Amino acid sequence: VNALKLLLIELLHRLLDPSLAAFGATSAQHLLQTLNVLMLKLLQNAKRDWALAALLDLLGARAADEAQREVCGLLIRCVGKLNKTLVEAAPHLDLASVVGAIERLQAALAESQRDAAGGGEGPVGASTAAKAIEASRETLRALSLSRADELLLMLRKEAPLPQGGSRHSGRSSSRSQTPSRSPA
């Protein structure tokens, strides 16, 4: 996943590289198209869970940096492209890695907002943060369409216990668990 993150961020930086203009308008346009095709092919051919986790982690790592607004915008668009076919791919994903990346993204955005409120460096623009949150919610929606039982079970296990100490307050603890689905 780390190698994928490095490749993704390198392609994103190249797509935003202002020095491409030095090649002339036609050449720069061809280079941009080629880089865009490379990015799309990378996303299409990488394991979907790795690609989503990498994109969400990269987005979370850059959410607090105002200078990374354009990179965040491209990352959000990439997540959106993967979300379009996520329902079909969901049965084959490592759910924990994708949900973990969503949690890390949301934690990074929350920390960025706390820093802004506390007088630290401000978060990336509110609209960019809102788009990042919406992209992660869209990922969760797509996952829930295909793997709702597993997703709910995973989220219940991670939820903190209520004050009384019992997660099911009076319910029988002999509930059956949904078996995990293995990739076909």
Side-chain angles (χ1 to χ4, degrees):
V1 175
N2 286 334
L4 182 59
K5 284 182 192 178
L6 292 172
L7 189 52
L8 287 169
I9 201 63
E10 187 64 32
L11 283 170
L12 289 170
H13 284 291
R14 295 295 158 236
L15 280 166
L16 296 170
D17 190 352
S19 67
L20 287 178
F23 291 101
T26 304
S27 294
Q29 186 61 33
H30 288 300
L31 284 170
L32 282 173
Q33 288 173 341
T34 302
L35 289 168
N36 195 37
V37 168
L38 282 171
M39 177 65 83
L40 291 173
K41 291 297 181 185
L42 177 63
L43 293 174
Q44 287 172 353
N45 292 300
K47 285 185 64 176
R48 188 60 50 98
D49 47 1
W50 290 5
L52 268 173
L55 289 168
L56 292 166
D57 282 341
L58 289 170
L59 185 55
R62 284 153 179 74
D65 188 353
E66 185 67 30
Q68 296 289 319
R69 180 184 301 227
E70 287 181 289
V71 171
C72 288
L74 289 176
L75 287 165
I76 291 166
R77 287 177 59 196
C78 290
V79 170
K81 288 204 181 290
L82 290 181
N83 283 345
K84 288 180 182 178
T85 59
L86 192 54
V87 173
E88 296 85 21
H92 310 288
L93 297 179
D94 174 21
L95 201 55
S97 67
V98 177
V99 171
I102 291 170
E103 289 174 338
R104 290 187 296 275
L105 168 65
Q106 291 181 348
L109 290 171
E111 182 179 335
S112 176
Q113 289 172 342
R114 278 192 304 274
D115 288 349
E121 291 185 26
V124 112
S127 66
T128 302
K131 288 177 185 174
I133 289 171
E134 183 55 33
S136 68
R137 286 181 180 158
E138 209 40 56
T139 302
L140 279 174
R141 276 188 213 105
L143 290 172
S144 69
L145 290 173
S146 180
R147 297 177 66 182
D149 292 343
E150 292 171 82
L151 187 59
L152 287 172
L153 183 62
M154 177 183 292
L155 294 174
R156 281 186 192 135
K157 285 181 180 178
E158 293 177 6
L161 290 174
Q163 286 294 68
S166 170
R167 191 182 303 274
H168 301 292
S169 61
R171 294 184 200 157
S172 170
S173 62
S174 62
R175 297 171 63 164
S176 65
Q177 293 185 354
T178 304
S180 73
R181 297 177 189 160
S182 58

